[in-house]
Amino acid sequence: MRAARIHEYGDASVIRVDEVACPAPGPGQVLIRVAATSFNPSEVGLRSGLLRSALPVDLPYTLGWDVAGTVVAAGAHAGVLSPGDRVVGRLDAGGAAAEFAVADVDCLVRAPSAVPLAHAGALPVAGLTAWQAVVEHARVRPGQRVLVNGAGGGVGGFAVQLAAHAGASVVATASPRSAGAVRRLGADRVVDYTVSAVGEVLGEPVDVILNLVPLSPGASAGLLSALRPGGTVVSITNPVEPPAGARVWAMTFVARNDVGQLRALVDLVDGGAVRIDVAGSRPLADIASVHRDAEAGRTRGKIILVP
């Protein structure tokens, strides 16, 4: 089978699509014919070696944390999953950027039926990150005003929808390239961060800030000027330092794998409350180009990679 692997750390040229042996499922595992994986920006950090201390891997390493596909074989004790089942999940050990992938059954759920199976490959990592930011940590409630900073990315699209589904009024920052998509996903107002500092144009303060992009100290202070006293800040990137004297709860978190939350997301997709906004579909052979485009700022939303 073909698999996109790195044999060393470096720029996008270290990614190779190799011919490798097809894996076999062990106890409690299934073999999946991959319909799609998706690109996540954190894979750039893994590939380049920036995350090697936080996320050590054995080389060569097959990329791909998101998987959507069809079970083709099951090992012993595979539970209720059997060949023919359509599944989606997050593979913390990677391996989904390939024609076939092995996965533990306890990290998989049934794929949504309302969308093409390949599109479900965009859901796990970004969807779980957004769920934990919006629902678990920020605890967004009806009537709140929520600012999603960096709404044009994959996590941002889900965060906008989940905050709106919770009953909040959503203000989002996005570039002109992403503004239309962000509005369609439920943002009540979109601020073009390439023109205006959000804290200078909002007027009324917000109750919650969800920060999804890396911030410099100056940008952090400008963003926090939009927050009401006692408001909540959740950041998925660098820690956000509140201004002196402000009553702000600020935290940074790394999303964890949670099949219960993933199952809830699938239910929202099937119920029409959450859309999987696939910005592009590329063949697996283009994976290095996708990395280059992302590093150059030429991508938006979720891009799926199809073997």
Side-chain angles (χ1 to χ4, degrees):
M1 70 170 191
R2 293 177 304 139
R5 305 197 298 174
I6 58 170
H7 295 256
E8 60 183 320
Y9 296 115
D11 62 22
S13 67
V14 303
I15 304 174
R16 295 186 350 213
V17 178
D18 298 328
E19 290 286 339
V20 300
C22 186
Q29 295 182 323
V30 293
L31 178 66
I32 300 168
R33 182 187 298 276
V34 177
T37 186
S38 80
F39 170 76
N40 289 288
S42 47
E43 286 188 285
V44 170
L46 183 146
R47 183 214 74 216
S48 66
L50 291 175
L51 298 181
R52 73 175 74 186
S53 59
L55 194 63
V57 299
D58 294 327
L59 300 176
Y61 175 81
T62 301
L63 298 167
W65 292 316
D66 290 314
V67 67
T70 304
V71 174
V72 295
H77 315 300
V80 298
L81 293 181
S82 57
D85 289 339
R86 293 157 45 104
V87 294
V88 61
R90 170 177 144 174
L91 308 186
D92 288 338
E99 293 181 286
F100 295 88
V102 163
D104 294 337
V105 295
D106 59 7
C107 75
L108 300 172
V109 301
R110 305 277 181 178
S113 58
V115 298
L117 181 58
H119 286 204
L123 180 62
V125 170
L128 285 170
T129 304
W131 178 283
Q132 289 165 31
V134 173
V135 179
E136 185 173 299
H137 296 302
R139 301 181 183 179
V140 173
R141 303 184 302 276
Q144 287 188 315
R145 197 162 186 244
V146 176
L147 170 60
V148 180
N149 188 45
V155 176
F158 288 117
V160 166
Q161 294 182 82
L162 290 172
H165 180 68
S169 172
V170 180
V171 180
T173 68
S175 69
R177 182 183 60 221
S178 303
V182 170
R183 287 191 185 93
R184 288 192 296 272
L185 293 175
D188 299 287
R189 181 180 177 186
V190 178
V191 175
D192 180 358
Y193 68 83
T194 67
V195 174
S196 304
V198 64
E200 297 174 357
V201 299
L202 270 191
E204 181 184 352
V206 298
D207 301 291
V208 176
I209 293 177
L210 303 174
N211 177 57
L212 311 179
V213 296
L215 291 174
S216 67
S220 175
L223 181 68
L224 287 169
S225 69
L227 189 69
R228 69 165 177 80
T232 298
V233 179
V234 176
S235 177
I236 71 168
T237 57
N238 50 309
V240 177
E241 293 295 331
R247 294 187 296 116
V248 178
W249 176 62
M251 63 170 296
T252 300
F253 78 98
V254 176
R256 70 184 187 283
N257 207 343
D258 190 307
V259 293
Q261 293 175 354
L262 183 57
R263 190 173 293 110
L265 283 164
V266 168
D267 289 343
L268 289 175
V269 171
D270 278 338
V274 168
R275 291 171 49 195
I276 300 178
D277 180 33
V278 174
S281 175
R282 305 275 288 272
L284 184 63
D286 283 357
I287 186 170
S289 294
V290 173
H291 276 239
R292 293 188 186 97
D293 288 346
E295 289 178 283
R298 294 191 292 264
T299 60
R300 79 150 190 92
K302 292 297 294 180
I303 295 172
I304 58 172
L305 294 156
V306 180

